[in-house]
Amino acid sequence: MEFEFDDEQRLLQRVVRETVTRTRSLPEDQLWDTYLELGWLEAPPVELAIVLEELGYAADPTPFLATATWFAPLAGRLPRGSGTGVFDGEGRFVLDADRADEIALLTSEGVVVRDGKDLAAERLSVFDPTLHVARVDAPDLVAGVPDLALMGLAVSTVGSCRRILDLVVAHVKERHQFGVPIGSFQAVKHKAADMYVAIERAKVLAYFSALTIAEDDPRRGRAVAMAKAAAGDCQRVCFRNGFQLFGAMGYTWENELQIHLKRAKAGDLLLGTASEHRKALLV
Amino acid sequence: MRLAPDPEVEKFRADFSAFLDTHLPTPEEATVRSKSSADIPDWARRWQRTLFDEGWLLPAQPPEYGGRNATLPQVVAHLEELSRRRIYHSFNPQGLNIIAASLLTFGTEQQKRDWAIPLLRAEITASLGMSEPGAGSDLAGLRTRAVLDGDHFVVNGQKVWTSGAHDADVLLTFVRTDPDAPKHKGISVLLIPTASEGLVRRPFGSIAAPDDLDFNEVFFTDVRVPKENLVGPLNEGWRVANGSLGHERTLLWVHYAERMDGLIQDSPCDEEWYATLQMDVQALRLLGYRLLGADRNPVEISVLKLLGSEAAQSAELHALEHHGTEALLHPVQTGPYTHMNIEAFTASWFERYARSFGGTIAGGTSEIQRNIIAERILGLPR
């Protein structure tokens, strides 16, 4: 097997990074149009993972993740506008269901696609006000989480964690106490190093799962469970160490760290925590 | 990225596997155990010699040095095949992978002939004299002195943790040749025969048993070493050290993966740690394969060392606890019998956990690895 990006994938990664940095302050609808123009919604699994990691890094405000990894694998097509999917058998905590143009429902009769407006999903009040999750009321729902949805959430969470680490590294280089940057203290270094290792572990497992989906490999079910569990492990380390190393500044609303901490945590709590996916690996 | 194996690598793997099927020593031949990491029983000397002759010993080397000019992914396949069967290619691993390998990189033609080839052919064994009582993590602080006197160096000082020294024929020894230079600059490397006058070795037991003798203290008192035993240029020993250990470190992750695979086989259960172990070994392999690719930062080896050694240790602890009070028993069989690697299965759960600390202490402690990651990958100030 070969486990590094080819030239085209490297180029895509660079383009996504540059685009995401350049468009950071654009309003949501313009961001969305940019993603559509660049064809990111049509990207195959590994390329999609590259896009999602960077959108996770940027705490993307659009419904891209739900459209590409919750709607598309269920409906087998892209939606008119944005979309999401209901596949938990209950319609609880459905990502972006309150603003999706189309919603794919996994029912006992198979997949049914409904107009978002007709379902009138009720947005839930959550700790992260930028996160759209909603309750969908519909009959005959059954459970069956698409592999792509687990991979997508895992790799987005890796992106959030990378952002947390970058913010922390910049902070501990800048912040002086006792006459030196706090990043020169070994206690600080070791926490940062542990974040880095957790991110690398989660990242390779996320990309491996994308690769097994791309090649429809029989290992894909286990691979996505590992990816989701490792992303969960990773956010635990990055949330705890990242928050702690930022000191009181990370405790404020103004500091952007809070956005990424919340995204990372949501990435674990949605579609099953690390512990639940570990249990899935044991059966 | 692709899942399909490289045909060149798979062909190589199949060839090696076929070779192993026909040439492995039988249980009847392999009755005598190795007593230390520099003690090779006669049957294992013959085995290593066969590997050398057939080009399967150090596959990346050319045929005259026991290889077949293999690529790095092929070398990984070689190690994986050995690991999968839980067998060793040499019972003097540091002599082969560190000392012979660095002689082939840094040695003179004569040193390759006189020392590297006999090491490769298992005619002699070697140990690595690096650590000292005052120089462990701070290896560059080593104080064993070598002073040039005519055509000899005169060596005085002490080494410790010198694995297998009491059974070795020669020590690759790091010595200070310029006490006035900054500490990384005044180090040189000497091949010192253990039979030299003034050289005393004292083996001491490990945590496993008083007669589990691998560690040594080595004392040098006016030991005279011929000038031609200098390896690499004078005062360039730090470069040799990085190169020597580089050989070892690049693929060290394969051994951690092997350890963890062993545990997956030996202690199946339905507890969460068992899933974590499977994730860790999978992540370790993927990171290892990724590192084989071009333009990766070699410092990333620290990530693999840290992840591999700590994940293995954590899993060994869980396995120990999983067996509850029974885990006190020692010795006890905890793995399948493999005649080439008898140590692995006779170790009790307790011993296996204790031995996992070799991974987090030797070859750069976990603390040093975290410093390296923080300073050289994340760019935090020293």
Side-chain angles (χ1 to χ4, degrees):
Chain A
M1 93 178 266
E2 206 171 275
F3 201 65
E4 37 168 359
F5 293 146
D6 62 30
D7 289 344
E8 279 178 33
Q9 289 165 335
R10 256 188 278 264
L11 179 67
L12 173 68
Q13 189 179 46
R14 205 166 62 232
V15 170
V16 180
R17 277 185 185 168
E18 283 166 8
T19 308
V20 163
T21 313
R22 204 181 55 239
T23 57
R24 191 167 291 171
S25 49
L26 289 183
E28 248 177 71
D29 54 337
Q30 286 181 41
L31 282 175
W32 182 256
D33 290 343
T34 310
Y35 302 163
L36 289 192
E37 270 166 43
L38 289 165
W40 290 353
L41 271 180
E42 282 113 56
V46 175
E47 286 70 17
L48 184 62
I50 292 172
V51 173
L52 288 171
E53 186 190 340
E54 299 311 318
L55 293 185
Y57 186 87
D60 176 45
T62 77
F64 186 93
L65 176 67
T67 305
T69 72
W70 289 41
F71 179 88
L74 222 55
R77 62 168 173 87
L78 289 172
R80 163 182 55 69
S82 67
T84 190
V86 179
F87 39 66
D88 66 344
E90 297 177 358
R92 305 176 71 215
F93 300 102
V94 183
L95 192 60
D96 291 318
D98 58 310
R99 55 173 175 168
D101 295 311
E102 290 194 273
I103 299 178
L105 306 158
L106 188 61
T107 72
S108 51
E109 304 292 304
V111 176
V112 178
V113 178
R114 301 273 303 275
D115 213 280
K117 284 194 293 289
D118 298 344
L119 279 172
E122 178 203 344
R123 186 171 177 191
L124 302 168
S125 168
V126 293
F127 194 47
D128 172 5
T130 71
L131 181 73
H132 287 255
V133 281
R135 173 163 180 78
V136 175
D137 252 331
D140 302 326
L141 295 175
V142 293
V145 184
D147 291 341
L148 201 67
L150 292 174
M151 182 284 280
L153 211 43
V155 79
S156 303
T157 304
V158 169
S160 303
C161 289
R162 260 184 51 221
R163 182 62 168 273
I164 294 169
L165 178 59
D166 281 358
L167 289 168
V168 163
V169 165
H171 173 72
V172 302
K173 282 182 186 169
E174 275 299 304
R175 169 80 180 161
H176 281 62
Q177 285 291 276
F178 308 102
V180 292
I182 60 172
S184 63
F185 296 125
Q186 209 170 44
V188 170
K189 283 179 182 169
H190 286 189
K191 281 197 159 66
D194 285 341
M195 292 167 76
Y196 184 79
V197 174
I199 289 169
E200 292 303 294
R201 173 178 182 266
K203 196 192 288 175
V204 290
L205 290 172
Y207 278 96
F208 180 72
S209 76
L211 188 57
T212 59
I213 296 171
E215 299 195 7
D216 196 19
D217 188 90
R219 288 168 289 182
R220 57 187 275 174
R222 284 183 68 78
V224 292
M226 283 194 182
K228 185 66 171 67
D233 294 344
C234 177
Q235 64 75 31
R236 256 191 172 193
V237 176
C238 290
F239 192 108
R240 190 184 58 221
N241 292 6
F243 202 161
Q244 186 67 25
L245 292 181
F246 238 93
M249 287 167 215
Y251 204 87
T252 65
W253 188 264
E254 286 78 12
N255 196 301
E256 71 161 309
L257 184 75
Q258 57 116 340
I259 298 166
H260 306 290
L261 292 175
K262 290 171 185 167
R263 282 294 172 100
K265 187 59 77 184
D268 183 45
L269 298 174
L270 288 167
L271 305 187
T273 61
S275 178
E276 289 171 64
H277 285 284
R278 252 190 274 281
K279 289 189 184 106
L281 285 169
L282 293 168
V283 292
Chain B
M1 280 194 170
R2 59 174 166 69
L3 288 173
D6 181 341
E8 299 257 300
V9 176
E10 289 321 292
K11 168 80 170 60
F12 180 94
R13 189 192 299 277
D15 289 349
F16 184 45
S17 188
F19 166 84
L20 291 174
D21 287 341
T22 48
H23 289 81
L24 269 184
T26 62
E28 295 71 39
E29 287 172 273
T31 47
V32 181
R33 308 314 323 155
S34 163
K35 299 194 299 293
S36 79
S37 61
D39 173 52
I40 314 184
D42 284 341
W43 65 267
R45 285 183 195 265
R46 288 194 295 275
W47 161 238
Q48 185 176 329
R49 175 67 192 268
T50 306
L51 288 162
F52 175 87
D53 290 343
E54 303 287 330
W56 289 118
L57 187 62
L58 289 179
Q61 295 293 338
E64 63 268 33
Y65 300 128
R68 46 183 64 218
N69 297 310
T71 62
L72 203 48
Q74 288 174 332
V75 174
V76 172
H78 177 257
L79 287 176
E80 284 175 343
E81 278 309 295
L82 292 168
S83 296
R84 202 168 55 77
R85 297 172 188 239
R86 298 192 183 200
I87 57 179
Y88 295 128
H89 53 325
S90 172
F91 285 80
N92 179 214
Q94 74 275 23
L96 190 69
N97 297 319
I98 303 181
I99 297 156
S102 16
L103 288 172
L104 294 179
T105 307
F106 297 99
T108 62
E109 286 310 309
Q110 192 181 342
Q111 286 169 347
K112 290 180 195 174
R113 232 178 7 254
D114 293 351
W115 300 101
I117 301 258
L119 277 170
L120 295 171
R121 289 155 57 120
E123 289 156 10
I124 60 172
T125 63
S127 291
L128 189 61
M130 289 186 125
S131 302
E132 297 182 2
S137 289
D138 183 16
L139 183 63
L142 62 88
R143 286 161 56 189
T144 296
R145 284 276 283 129
V147 180
L148 198 55
D149 174 27
D151 52 5
H152 281 75
F153 286 98
V154 180
V155 180
N156 281 283
Q158 186 197 338
K159 295 288 172 185
V160 72
W161 312 117
T162 322
S163 297
H166 62 301
D167 288 320
D169 299 294
V170 65
L171 308 178
L172 190 78
T173 315
F174 288 73
V175 294
R176 186 157 301 284
T177 37
D178 183 354
D180 300 322
K183 66 179 183 179
H184 290 81
K185 306 252 162 133
I187 297 171
S188 301
V189 185
L190 296 176
L191 281 161
I192 308 185
T194 50
S196 304
E197 202 176 320
L199 190 154
V200 174
R201 295 164 283 175
R202 191 187 74 82
F204 53 99
S206 79
I207 187 171
D211 61 352
D212 175 42
L213 297 179
D214 200 36
F215 292 148
N216 274 256
E217 293 179 297
V218 184
F219 302 91
F220 303 87
T221 311
D222 293 329
V223 175
R224 294 183 71 79
V225 182
K227 223 168 85 174
E228 61 265 25
N229 285 16
L230 175 69
V231 179
L234 189 69
N235 297 327
E236 295 277 333
W238 193 250
R239 202 160 59 83
V240 180
N242 283 324
S244 312
L245 296 179
H247 290 297
E248 176 80 347
R249 277 185 195 152
T250 317
L251 296 174
L252 200 61
W253 60 269
V254 183
H255 299 287
Y256 293 119
E258 159 196 13
R259 223 199 157 86
M260 289 150 79
D261 275 340
L263 199 52
I264 288 174
Q265 289 164 26
D266 299 343
S267 191
C269 73
D270 59 0
E271 295 167 15
E272 257 192 63
W273 67 269
Y274 190 67
T276 305
L277 173 60
Q278 295 172 52
M279 290 162 60
D280 285 330
V281 71
Q282 173 76 341
L284 187 63
R285 286 221 161 80
L286 293 170
L287 286 165
Y289 291 142
R290 199 182 66 175
L291 200 60
L292 297 179
D295 56 76
R296 302 298 309 188
N297 183 352
V299 178
E300 287 183 30
I301 291 168
S302 288
V303 175
L304 280 89
K305 206 253 172 190
L306 184 60
L307 175 66
S309 62
E310 299 215 325
Q313 186 170 92
S314 165
E316 294 285 6
L317 174 62
H318 283 295
L320 174 77
E321 291 174 351
H322 175 75
H323 289 86
T325 319
E326 295 282 311
L328 284 168
L329 298 174
H330 176 92
V332 62
Q333 182 171 342
T334 58
Y337 174 79
T338 41
H339 68 274
M340 297 281 287
N341 189 352
I342 202 162
E343 299 79 5
F345 91 100
T346 50
S348 62
W349 294 113
F350 204 153
E351 180 181 345
R352 285 171 73 145
Y353 174 54
R355 287 200 186 274
S356 75
F357 282 78
T360 53
I361 296 171
T365 63
S366 292
E367 287 66 31
I368 291 289
Q369 305 305 331
R370 286 190 171 87
N371 287 353
I372 291 171
I373 292 166
E375 290 165 10
R376 293 171 64 192
I377 296 179
L378 301 178
L380 295 187
R382 278 173 183 275

